Amino acid sequence: MKAALTIEGLEVDFGGFKAVDSMTTVIDDGELRVILGPNGAGKTTLMDLISGKTAATGGKVHLFGRDITNRPEHEIARAGVGRKFQIPSVFRDLSVLQNLEVAVSHEPRVFRNLRLGMSRADRKRIDEVIDLTGLGAVLDTLAGDLSHGQMQWLELGMLITQQSKVILLDEPTAGMTQGETSKTADIILRLKGTHTILVVEHDMAFVRKIAEKVTVMHLGKLLAEGPMQTIEADPAVRDAYLGSGGLH
Ligand SMILES: Nc1ncnc2c1ncn2[C@@H]1O[C@H](COP(=O)(O)OP(=O)(O)OP(=O)(O)O)[C@@H](O)[C@H]1O
């Protein structure tokens, strides 16, 4: 199996405090990896280091064998790492379809006549994303008028349209209804295999639905890694969550 992301001894030192420390893990191409850990474990910071938002003070990140450690954020994004934030970066004044067209073109200003100049492959990709996200009924709706869930799916769809190969999702179900959470799980499960997905999430019902291999962080370090069932039974993991109510 080819590695999509290779993280080797990664660390960031914030004035003597290592939020991520000696972190090592390999995420295979097409894998869906869930990152768990109590509050403050370093999960978001790990994503910041992978995406270039925060500079590492030690260690390496390789993307399909290419060293992307401490490269500028836009360069890492262009190399194929897409990040979805809790506040979506969609164009609120454009329709759903226009947002997808912008994502395919990488060029916000040319959206007006884009359909005409779009390649068959691009059009196909947009159609696939519409099918995946179930946004077909709201293609003409302004993104700003979408429901919370729809907006999250649009942003995820935009990452796929712009051909992100590795997708980082930080608490993708935050603020979602149960129905929206369930649909998000379905979308993520459909992406598995064609995309490499890293998910940080606290909603354990959602995690149990999607998780295969899980990485648990604690105090910036790797605490445990393996199948969800093994992780849930691991005494060290239970101890790490003590005081925060356990894996819930
Ligand atoms: N820029 C920074 N400077 C100093 N400390 C920071 C900085 N960014 C994060 N931290 C600290 O690093 C630790 C890890 O934070 P991080 O947000 O990565 O944890 P997390 O596992 O994502 O937690 P949560 O589940 O609560 O979101 C925290 O103690 C946080 O306060």
Side-chain angles (χ1 to χ4, degrees):
M1 183 68 80
K2 194 165 66 164
L5 273 180
T6 308
I7 295 162
E8 276 176 52
L10 199 61
E11 70 156 58
V12 60
D13 189 325
F14 293 123
F17 169 72
K18 289 185 180 174
V20 170
D21 190 3
S22 321
M23 189 63 196
T24 296
T25 189
V26 177
I27 298 149
D28 288 334
D29 189 13
E31 188 181 336
L32 196 179
R33 177 75 61 89
V34 174
I35 316 264
L36 294 179
N39 291 335
K43 306 178 296 291
T44 300
T45 307
L46 176 67
M47 289 203 171
D48 291 345
L49 294 170
I50 296 169
S51 63
K53 183 170 178 234
T54 297
T57 50
K60 291 279 173 203
V61 181
H62 284 89
L63 175 70
F64 295 105
R66 170 179 166 192
D67 188 351
I68 57 163
T69 323
N70 292 345
R71 303 308 306 160
E73 228 173 333
H74 64 90
E75 194 181 311
I76 294 175
R78 214 176 305 134
V81 177
R83 177 130 186 223
K84 212 192 89 45
F85 290 94
Q86 284 186 29
I87 298 166
S89 54
V90 301
F91 297 96
R92 299 179 67 88
D93 297 332
L94 298 185
S95 72
V96 167
L97 183 59
Q98 286 168 334
N99 267 279
L100 293 172
E101 289 173 350
V102 166
V104 91
S105 74
H106 299 280
E107 174 52 85
R109 268 160 292 166
V110 300
F111 73 89
R112 274 174 220 285
N113 296 313
L114 209 68
R115 279 251 126 180
L116 299 172
M118 203 182 289
S119 73
R120 191 177 294 189
D122 285 349
R123 223 169 290 190
K124 184 161 172 276
R125 213 157 65 236
I126 288 183
D127 288 343
E128 283 168 359
V129 165
I130 292 168
D131 177 55
L132 175 79
T133 54
L135 293 172
V138 290
L139 289 181
D140 296 329
T141 302
L142 293 184
D145 292 337
L146 293 175
S147 70
H148 174 73
Q150 288 170 327
M151 209 182 281
Q152 308 294 321
W153 301 325
L154 174 58
E155 197 193 20
L156 181 54
M158 288 169 74
L159 292 180
I160 297 158
T161 312
Q162 70 201 22
Q163 292 185 295
S164 299
K165 296 186 286 275
V166 174
I167 296 177
L168 312 180
L169 301 173
D170 201 350
E171 300 194 35
T173 70
M176 285 191 177
T177 64
Q178 231 172 3
E180 288 172 334
T181 299
S182 170
K183 185 173 161 182
T184 303
D186 293 341
I187 293 174
I188 291 175
L189 285 170
R190 271 181 69 183
L191 283 173
K192 192 177 62 175
T194 55
H195 292 76
T196 306
I197 306 158
L198 230 69
V199 186
V200 168
E201 183 57 70
H202 287 284
D203 178 343
M204 287 310 293
F206 171 79
V207 168
R208 286 188 189 98
K209 190 165 175 193
I210 64 163
E212 293 175 345
K213 194 167 174 182
V214 174
T215 296
V216 185
M217 293 181 72
H218 184 43
L219 304 173
K221 292 183 193 278
L222 178 83
L223 178 69
E225 195 163 85
M228 185 64 190
Q229 280 170 319
T230 315
I231 291 299
E232 287 202 275
D234 186 332
V237 174
R238 287 167 185 261
D239 283 352
Y241 275 89
L242 271 183
S244 65
L247 275 168
H248 45 76

